Amino acid sequence: LQKSRRIPRFSSGRGGDEIGRSHGVSDGNGIAFVSRIGEIYPSGFLPISGGNVRDRGLIESYRESQIFCDLRDKSLLKGKCGACEYNRICGGSRARAYTVYGDYLGPDPLCAYIPKGWDGGFWEG
């Protein structure tokens, strides 16, 4: 077996690489988690419901609930994730931000990258 030397190229269109794989953290951005009782979450690790499939349905909840709309709007990100030039590619972990700061739009506390021009502290929200 020969090891591949191919390096994935990223397209500028849909996001992701040349075969359509996405990248970054996708909590609530293209995915949803439906619990056994019908609650709709942005991921299995972010415990904020965006509705229930029995009330509004999956598609309507995904398109219209506040949490899903917020998570898709990268301009709402706070702290260094909001200032980061890669926030449309990465987005940081919204579940980790919620766990540490109580705010799913806060910065990813485990991201070691310091955005260009960021003058806040390493862990600041």
Side-chain angles (χ1 to χ4, degrees):
L1 294 171
Q2 185 176 16
K3 187 175 180 179
S4 174
R5 294 176 194 255
R6 187 172 150 226
I7 299 171
R9 288 178 283 151
F10 293 95
S11 67
S12 60
R14 300 178 308 190
D17 64 17
E18 62 192 10
I19 62 170
R21 292 177 293 202
S22 66
H23 49 276
V25 179
S26 54
D27 294 352
N29 191 8
I31 65 162
F33 173 83
V34 181
S35 77
R36 64 179 176 76
I37 59 171
E39 292 298 314
I40 305 164
Y41 298 99
S43 81
F45 300 107
L46 185 53
I48 301 173
S49 176
N52 191 292
V53 294
R54 296 176 187 149
D55 299 330
R56 292 199 315 183
L58 179 60
I59 294 171
E60 185 179 347
S61 294
Y62 175 82
R63 288 180 179 165
E64 298 175 10
S65 74
Q66 190 65 51
I67 188 167
F68 281 96
C69 290
D70 287 352
L71 291 171
R72 289 190 298 269
D73 185 353
K74 302 299 184 187
S75 71
L76 298 177
L77 294 177
K78 300 172 185 173
K80 70 178 188 171
C81 283
C84 184
E85 63 271 26
Y86 300 111
N87 69 11
R88 297 203 186 286
I89 298 168
C90 170
S93 172
R94 305 298 89 224
R96 285 192 297 250
Y98 181 73
T99 299
V100 172
Y101 300 112
D103 184 353
Y104 58 84
L105 296 172
D108 182 340
L110 295 182
C111 178
Y113 181 71
I114 304 297
K116 293 177 183 170
W118 175 249
D119 58 359
F122 187 75
W123 296 107
E124 288 183 30

